């Protein structure tokens, strides 16, 4: 009887304790940053960009003097946590970056800026600085 | 009896959650001392600082970049949540941004810097790291 009670307690505790949490969310394809070398400022036209980079821009931003900024955004979010019976602790670190291509009023690419895919740390403790 | 009540409480209480969410750490920590309002141009700013990343959502880029403004943001948010029950449960939630760093650069019609604003908030403490406007006395 005593052994049975121990087993039941263990099963109940196992059912109540969620355990550890790891969650990762990658937003869009960061490999677009590796393909920006295909874009030649002064030669490439904005209409060629989706074909060269392998994706439609996530943002098209009109600027002054007819210039247009095309953005391909990507990011990474990592959540790590500890789920106990009554308390759950989690920490989420997320970072976003973009490839930006600036085109002039004629649609000719003038500048390319590519930020490497962000490095995001796995962390659990949600307190402190 | 007391033990059974305690176990029933454990089974019904999903518990509380303490979470922390950091977005774009370090993104708004750029050096802005070299910027001269009224003289420095949009091209010079983007050549040195680049364009700001989206903050939180990939479709947030248009909010961070406008013809007359560039906006970098770093956020550190804490969230506390209490859930009781399984089938129907009320959720008590409280969240607050404990640290935010914010860099805003505005441009005039000629494409020159009109405003540099860099602020940091930690809890209730609000620190202005840089705030300069074109035409204003230094």
């Amino acid at each position: 009887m005593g052994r049975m009670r121990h087993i039941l307690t263990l099963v109940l505790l196992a059912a109540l304790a969620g355990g550890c949490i790891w969650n990762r969310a990658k937003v869009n394809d960061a490999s677009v940053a590796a393909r920006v070398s295909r874009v030649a400022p002064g030669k490439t036209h904005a209409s060629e960009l989706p074909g060269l980079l392998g994706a439609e821009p996530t943002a098209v931003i009109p600027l002054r003097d007819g210039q247009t900024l095309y953005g391909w955004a990507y990011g990474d979010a990592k959540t790590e946590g500890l789920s106990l019976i009554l308390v759950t602790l989690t920490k989420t670190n997320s970072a976003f970056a973009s490839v930006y291509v600036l085109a002039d009023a004629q649609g000719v690419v003038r500048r390319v800026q590519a930020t490497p895919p962000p490095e995001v740390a796995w962390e659990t403790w949600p307190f402190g600085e | 009896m007391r033990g059974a009540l305690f176990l029933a409480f454990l089974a019904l209480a999903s518990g509380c959650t303490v979470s922390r969410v950091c977005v774009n750490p370090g993104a708004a920590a750029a050096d802005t001392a070299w910027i001269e309002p009224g003289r420095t141009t949009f091209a010079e700013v983007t050549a040195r600082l680049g364009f700001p990343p989206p903050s939180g959502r990939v479709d947030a880029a248009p909010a961070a970049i406008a013809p007359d403004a560039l906006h970098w943001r770093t956020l550190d948010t804490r969230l506390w949540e209490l859930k009781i029950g399984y089938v129907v449960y009320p959720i008590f939630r409280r969240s607050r941004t404990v640290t935010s760093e914010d860099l805003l650069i505005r441009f005039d019609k000629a494409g020159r810097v009109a405003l540099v604003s860099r602020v940091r908030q930690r809890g209730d403490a609000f620190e202005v790291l840089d705030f300069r406007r074109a035409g204003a006395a230094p």
Side-chain angles (χ1 to χ4, degrees):
Chain A
M1 186 64 186
R3 191 177 173 192
M4 195 64 182
R5 184 181 288 176
H6 281 123
I7 291 170
L8 279 173
T9 306
L10 202 63
V11 168
L12 184 62
L13 281 176
L16 288 171
C20 299
I21 299 166
W22 285 280
N23 189 333
R24 185 167 190 185
K26 285 192 169 187
V27 183
N28 292 342
D29 183 7
S31 68
V32 72
R35 292 193 284 272
V36 292
S37 57
R38 299 175 183 174
V39 180
K43 293 180 182 174
T44 304
H45 193 269
S47 58
E48 302 171 70
L49 291 171
L52 290 170
L53 298 178
E56 292 289 333
T58 53
V60 178
I61 305 159
L63 299 177
R64 292 192 191 288
D65 305 325
Q67 295 183 107
T68 305
L69 188 68
Y70 298 88
W72 284 259
Y74 40 87
D76 199 358
K78 292 177 181 173
T79 300
E80 193 173 78
L82 181 64
S83 180
L84 303 173
I85 297 171
L86 286 176
V87 179
T88 299
L89 306 174
T90 68
K91 186 173 180 195
T92 300
N93 289 324
S94 64
F96 298 85
S98 288
V99 165
Y100 286 116
V101 177
L102 185 68
D104 63 18
Q106 285 70 46
V108 179
V109 170
R110 291 298 165 197
R111 223 181 105 201
V112 179
Q113 177 197 306
T115 310
E119 290 287 326
V120 183
W122 289 103
E123 290 178 319
T124 306
W125 194 242
F127 305 103
E129 279 299 306
Chain B
M1 185 62 185
R2 199 176 279 177
L5 281 174
F6 181 66
L7 285 177
F9 172 73
L10 287 185
L12 284 172
S14 304
C16 60
T17 301
V18 180
S19 300
R20 180 177 177 184
V21 180
C22 299
V23 180
N24 288 334
D31 172 30
T32 53
W34 60 276
I35 297 173
E36 294 180 53
R39 297 188 67 173
T40 307
T41 64
F42 184 91
E44 288 169 332
V45 170
T46 56
R48 192 147 166 178
L49 301 183
F51 291 99
S55 58
R57 300 197 326 258
V58 288
D59 59 354
I65 302 172
D68 63 347
L70 297 172
H71 192 184
W72 287 260
R73 278 195 97 186
T74 293
L75 289 174
D76 186 353
T77 304
R78 314 286 169 102
L79 189 141
W80 183 86
E81 194 175 88
L82 176 65
K83 279 194 279 187
I84 298 173
Y86 277 119
V87 181
V88 177
Y89 49 85
I91 301 176
F92 303 93
R93 180 180 291 157
R94 182 181 173 177
S95 72
R96 69 184 184 117
T97 297
V98 289
T99 306
S100 72
E101 288 187 14
D102 196 287
L103 168 58
L104 175 68
I105 302 177
R106 284 199 174 279
F107 300 87
D108 61 20
K109 288 181 179 173
R112 297 186 185 282
V113 173
L115 168 76
V116 182
S117 168
R118 194 153 78 85
V119 296
R120 181 191 295 144
Q121 186 182 359
R122 280 189 183 170
D124 296 328
F126 198 77
E127 188 180 1
V128 178
L129 302 169
D130 191 0
F131 188 88
R132 289 173 291 141
R133 275 186 293 201

